[in-house]
């Protein structure tokens, strides 16, 4: 049975229909008009029959015909306007909800994003919200409208004859109850079909993503067999669903025909008793057959309500999810380059499966980086370097200790401002399917070409820009097609450079680069770090030699920290040993 969380429905309706009150009022007026015309139609028909058979001569037959055509035409026009308004209301409301949800999801912390796949979130923002389209645009009004129409028909029939009115009421209630129950018969088949189609798309999605592996490992035959098996099950479920649907539809039709039989029987009986005219027999018949449409629509709307029910619950719980990061700080983020203090910082990922023992990913880190200096982070994979970078961007908060910029705790600054002042270049730079210009400015049209060109020149990328076939207009493919890993990093440097942050965090590309790109990157890093505090997760000897201090990490702990020159010249230091064995071989 449908469980209706009425408060949630009204909260959603109030919030998203409020801005469109005027359209909704117009929709309601059109609907009322259309109900009035539908109720008027059989009356005109009855008048027509009685005039033709000579039972009364109240109106000339031509006026009745004109009225009939006007009512039919008016009804159609009102239908078109209502459908138009409903679709506008539905789209405006769902788009507002979509953007609220997308904004909310983007504001949630990384731990949330790690535990929800992009596909799942797309389904929430788009799939669930699309299901609500009809709910917003039609449900409340049309449901009410249909109930009103049924009620109006019963009243109109009763006004002609009380016995017929009683029969109409009884028929309407019993038929509606039976139709709604019939619907339940088809529900499991519908659900099974939906489940199988979800599984099918899940299967296809997974294998399309892994197509290279599938091909490389010769798993094509196996995959095709699984695909055919999916098709086979899907087809079976589809047939069952169609069969159940047809049976339900056929039974509903039989019920409506039965309604017509009742109307004709009562009509004939009353006519032969001389209680009503032939026109009224027509009137009863057309009112009874009019009952079928609102009943069908109510059945459809109950189904939509069931779907909306699950979607609303999921959307609600998503909107209720709060970011694990409290964003209440108001202290301004320092301008220019700032110093960074880690005081006794310990952090672990809450849901860390990698560390069931509860070991810290960052363990009592207590260091200070001077403003404008660059630190090189070294350590094997998994030692906690990227985690340290994430803490600086406040993607997570440490459980113990504090991180401070110029003495101000990160938690005291507004998150968005903080991230505006910290530039991050990761190893896998996201390139969008757009022009070089859009990729650099993140689609911000207010940045002029000259500013971008200047930034690229400053970073020593002028020649690179000229080498692009269409300059800033060169189109880049999705997933960075057409750019090497090094070039993607160069592009990311330009992004950060335009942002002009006080701290730059760079996770160097660990893949080997061609000498030309390598030297471009070196120069660009030099310019990028100029006048800013820098944290470089280094993989290259050339980069390491340019930093001011070195920090070597192991399992979240600092094992060596000191100035580059001092460590390099101390043969006993780990750093000196690393240099001897070759940085690239040990750290990548
Ligand atoms: P590095 O950058 O030095 O390779 P990371 O900071 O990425 O190291 O990882 C440090 C440790 O934290 C590793 O044991 C890793 O498995 C774990 N880790 C990294 N990211 C997450 C995450 N999102 N959730 C849980 N554990 C993580």
């Amino acid at each position: 049975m449908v469980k209706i969380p009425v408060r949630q429905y009204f909260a959603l309706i109030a919030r998203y229909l409020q801005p469109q009150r005027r359209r909704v009022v117009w929709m309601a007026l059109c609907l009322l008009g259309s109900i009035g015309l539908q109720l008027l139609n059989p009356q005109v028909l009855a008048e027509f029959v009685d005039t033709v058979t000579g039972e009364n001569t109240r109106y000339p037959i031509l006026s009745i015909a004109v009225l009939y055509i006007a009512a039919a035409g008016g009804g159609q026009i009102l239908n078109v306007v209502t459908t138009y308004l409903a679709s506008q209301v539905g789209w405006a409301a769902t788009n507002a909800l979509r953007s609220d949800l997308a904004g909310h999801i983007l504001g949630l912390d990384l731990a949330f994003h790690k535990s929800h796949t992009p596909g799942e979130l797309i389904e929430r923002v788009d799939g669930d919200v699309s299901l609500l389209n009809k709910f917003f645009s039609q449900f409340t009004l049309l449901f009410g409208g249909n109930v009103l129409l049924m009620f109006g028909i019963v009243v109109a029939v009763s006004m002609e004859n009380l016995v017929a009115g009683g029969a109409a009421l009884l028929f309407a209630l019993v038929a509606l109850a039976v139709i709604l129950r019939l619907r339940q018969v088809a529900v499991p088949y519908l659900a099974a079909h939906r489940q199988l189609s979800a599984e099918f798309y899940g299967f296809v999605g997974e294998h399309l993503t892994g197509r290279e592996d599938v091909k490389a490992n010769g798993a094509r035959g196996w995959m095709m067999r699984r695909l055919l098996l999916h098709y086979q099950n899907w087809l079976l479920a589809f047939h069952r669903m169609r069969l159940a649907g047809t049976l339900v539809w056929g039974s509903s039709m039989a019920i409506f025909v039965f309604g017509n039989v009742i109307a004709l029987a009562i009509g004939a009986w009353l006519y032969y008793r001389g209680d009503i005219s032939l026109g009224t027999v027509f009137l009863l018949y057309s009112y009874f057959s009019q009952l079928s449409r609102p009943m069908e629509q109510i059945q459809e709307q109950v189904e939509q309500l069931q779907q909306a029910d699950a979607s609303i619950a999921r959307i609600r719980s998503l909107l209720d999810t709060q970011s694990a990061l409290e964003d209440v700080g108001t202290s301004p983020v320092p301008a220019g380059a700032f110093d960074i203090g880690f005081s006794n910082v310990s952090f672990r990922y809450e849901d860390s499966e990698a560390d069931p023992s509860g070991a810290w990913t960052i363990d009592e880190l207590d260091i200070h980086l001077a403003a404008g200096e660059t630190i090189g982070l070294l350590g094997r994979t998994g030692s906690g370097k990227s985690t340290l970078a994430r803490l600086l961007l406040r993607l997570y908060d440490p459980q113990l200790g504090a991180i401070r910029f110029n003495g101000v705790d990160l938690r005291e600054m507004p998150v968005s401002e903080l991230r505006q002042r910290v530039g991050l270049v990761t190893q896998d730079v996201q390139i969008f399917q757009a022009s070089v210009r859009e990729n650099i400015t993140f689609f911000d049209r207010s940045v002029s070409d000259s500013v971008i060109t200047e930034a690229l020149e400053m970073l020593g990328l002028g020649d690179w820009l000229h080498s692009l076939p269409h300059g800033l207009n060169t189109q880049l493919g999705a997933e960075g097609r057409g750019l090497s890993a090094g070039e993607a990093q160069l592009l990311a440097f330009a992004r950060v450079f335009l942002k002009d942050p006080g701290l730059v965090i760079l996770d160097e590309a660990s893949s080997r680069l061609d000498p030309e790109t390598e030297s471009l990157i070196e120069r660009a890093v030099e310019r990028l770090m100029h006048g800013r505090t820098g944290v470089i997760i280094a993989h290259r000897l050339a980069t390491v030699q340019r930093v001011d201090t070195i920090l070597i990490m192991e399992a979240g702990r600092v094992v060596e920290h000191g100035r580059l020159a001092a460590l390099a010249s101390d043969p006993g230091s780990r750093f000196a040993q690393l240099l001897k064995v070759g940085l690239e071989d040990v750290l990548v």
Side-chain angles (χ1 to χ4, degrees), residues 331 397 401-413:
S331 304
D397 279 334
I403 305 171
R404 297 189 177 87
F405 290 169
N406 277 2
V408 184
D409 194 318
L410 298 196
R411 286 169 285 212
E412 289 167 18
M413 308 171 188

Side-chain angles (χ1 to χ4, degrees), residues 53-88:
T53 53
E55 288 207 29
N56 73 48
T57 47
R58 264 181 292 186
Y59 309 103
I61 197 150
L62 198 63
S63 328
I64 298 174
V66 169
L67 185 64
Y68 185 79
I69 291 170
Q76 286 308 320
I77 291 172
L78 285 178
N79 269 346
V80 170
V81 176
T82 315
T83 312
Y84 174 79
L85 286 174
S87 132
Q88 293 243 326

Side-chain angles (χ1 to χ4, degrees), residues 110-111 114 349-355 361-362 379-388 390 396 507 537 553:
L110 264 198
K114 293 268 181 220
Y349 294 99
E350 291 293 352
D351 57 344
S352 180
E353 284 168 25
D355 275 325
T361 306
I362 298 290
R380 289 178 187 280
T381 305
S383 54
K385 306 179 299 289
S386 314
T387 306
L388 194 83
R390 288 181 197 135
Y396 298 93
D507 190 354
I537 300 175
M553 295 182 69

Side-chain angles (χ1 to χ4, degrees), residues 498-568:
L498 282 180
K499 195 163 125 175
D500 193 19
L503 164 66
V504 173
I505 305 167
L506 164 61
D507 190 354
E508 234 182 6
S510 59
S511 52
R512 297 186 192 280
L513 304 173
D514 59 280
E516 203 180 323
T517 316
E518 175 128 20
S519 73
L520 269 179
I521 289 210
E522 262 167 56
R523 277 180 56 198
V525 170
E526 178 108 32
R527 304 269 167 82
L528 189 62
M529 295 297 172
H530 181 74
R532 306 175 217 274
T533 312
V535 174
I536 303 185
I537 300 175
H539 296 283
R540 245 172 274 284
L541 192 60
T543 325
V544 169
Q545 280 167 344
R546 269 192 318 92
V547 302
D548 302 296
T549 53
I550 291 283
L551 178 78
I552 305 183
M553 295 182 69
E554 216 173 85
R557 299 191 79 98
V558 176
V559 289
E560 195 162 277
H561 179 214
R563 299 205 71 80
L564 173 82
L567 292 179

